[in-house]
Amino acid sequence: MHLANRSLVTAVTAVCSAVALCAALTGCAPQSEEKTKASGQAGTETGACAPGGLATEVEGKLTVGTDKPAYAPWFSDDEPSNGKGFESAVAYAVAKQLGYGRDAVVWQHTPFNSAFAPGAKKFDFDINQVSISESRKKAVAFSSGYYDVRQAVVALKSSKAAGAKSVADLKKVKLGAQVGTTSLDFINDLVKPDTKPAVYQRNDFAKSALKTGQVDAIVVDLPTAFYITGAEVPEAEVVGQFPNSADKPEQFGLVLDKESTLTSCVSGAVDALRKDGTLAALEKEWLSDAVDAPVLK
């Protein structure tokens, strides 16, 4: 050991003994900035969700991710920050529950697939119709579910898919869906069509393919299906919805970094909003048109 190092050890040991903070040299080592931040966040896991004082990406702010375009009826006018649309309203309700006012919420563009891809996140949570699944949980964390969702089939009224009454009726038609979605999973895992489904980077592209007849039908979540047929492609109709598992319905959840220590606080906020009726009220306000569709047996 070099003399300088021996002197340093002696000095630090003396300080540790004097203040009774540690029994060994390593116990007195200063924490790194990352370690300090993690320590500050750890309190959230034990229920210490200090209103407006969480260890967020930006101190005093809550960073919320979502994709662009931000589709109706989840958002309105492609502007997440206006508070209109179901998911925009839910995000602000969660923020308020956590102690962050509207002016403390910062929106960040996060492509759909990037939200639940492996790797560190730059948002505190993402809200973008992301269904909770065990496979996605390997890469990210989820809050409690904030919406129980059904997948639905949309087809032009003149399409051969329009008369489908069952899942089996869809096996011989050309289907399409957005990449990385549970809509695509339903096609591949439940319908198992004879023709490989068309996969699109965005729902906009899927809708264009539907309008031009490149596909017979597309699969989207039920509220989006009603919006497409009511406002965007009036010549289309909601053919039907897929049945959900009775014991485990598909749910949308807020996405967090896999290692985020905010997860329990965010889940607590969602649970509180469900318990006090806020989520039901927002669903009625923004998704009331998506009330029903025939179930494809």
Side-chain angles (χ1 to χ4, degrees):
M1 181 184 293
H2 293 296
L3 180 60
N5 290 341
R6 186 181 298 113
S7 299
L8 176 60
V9 171
T10 301
V12 174
T13 302
V15 171
C16 289
S17 299
V19 297
L21 289 177
C22 57
L25 176 60
T26 54
C28 292
Q31 294 183 348
S32 67
E33 183 179 346
E34 291 77 14
K35 208 168 183 180
T36 301
K37 181 179 179 182
S39 176
Q41 290 175 323
T44 64
E45 292 187 323
T46 60
C49 303
L54 303 181
T56 52
E57 284 290 323
V58 178
E59 186 177 358
K61 300 288 185 180
L62 194 66
T63 303
V64 181
T66 199
D67 204 353
K68 187 173 181 64
Y71 298 108
W74 311 105
F75 299 92
S76 179
D77 301 322
D78 191 21
E79 184 47 72
S81 65
N82 63 16
K84 299 178 181 179
F86 179 70
E87 290 194 326
S88 178
V90 168
Y92 282 116
V94 170
K96 183 179 179 180
Q97 193 73 27
L98 292 172
Y100 294 87
R102 185 162 175 162
D103 59 349
V105 176
V106 178
W107 289 89
Q108 178 190 82
H109 172 214
T110 305
F112 179 78
N113 285 338
S114 298
F116 50 86
K121 309 303 178 188
K122 293 298 182 181
F123 51 72
D124 294 308
F125 68 75
D126 178 273
I127 183 166
N128 190 29
Q129 306 114 67
V130 181
S131 295
I132 301 169
S133 72
E134 292 305 313
S135 60
R136 289 173 178 171
K137 283 182 179 180
K138 295 176 182 178
V140 295
F142 282 97
S143 71
S144 303
Y146 62 87
Y147 179 68
D148 295 352
V149 64
R150 292 282 189 100
Q151 297 297 319
V153 179
V154 175
L156 295 182
K157 296 171 184 177
S158 58
S159 167
K160 62 181 180 181
K165 302 296 182 185
S166 67
V167 173
D169 291 340
L170 297 171
K171 288 185 70 68
K172 296 186 181 301
V173 303
K174 180 69 174 180
L175 299 171
Q178 183 178 341
V179 65
T181 60
T182 49
S183 302
L184 183 59
D185 291 340
F186 266 77
I187 294 175
N188 289 324
D189 301 337
L190 184 62
V191 179
K192 300 178 181 177
D194 295 340
T195 304
K196 187 176 180 180
V199 181
Y200 301 96
Q201 196 63 35
R202 298 194 337 227
N203 265 338
D204 279 347
F205 302 151
K207 285 180 285 187
S208 295
L210 178 69
K211 291 165 70 173
T212 58
Q214 297 176 50
V215 293
D216 297 311
I218 61 174
V219 177
V220 293
D221 60 75
L222 189 58
T224 297
F226 274 97
Y227 184 79
I228 289 173
T229 57
E232 297 182 310
V233 191
E235 62 271 30
E237 65 182 13
V238 180
V239 176
Q241 60 180 308
F242 291 108
N244 255 340
S245 171
D247 59 338
K248 193 174 182 181
E250 181 182 357
Q251 291 185 313
F252 290 158
L254 305 178
V255 183
L256 298 94
D257 188 282
K258 179 70 173 174
E259 305 302 326
S260 176
T261 51
L262 303 183
T263 303
S264 61
C265 291
V266 174
S267 283
V270 173
D271 292 342
L273 294 173
R274 185 178 291 279
K275 185 176 181 179
D276 69 13
T278 298
L279 291 181
L282 293 178
E283 185 176 331
K284 183 177 180 180
E285 178 179 0
W286 296 107
L287 305 179
S288 58
D289 289 339
V291 290
D292 201 12
V295 176
L296 299 167
K297 301 296 185 181

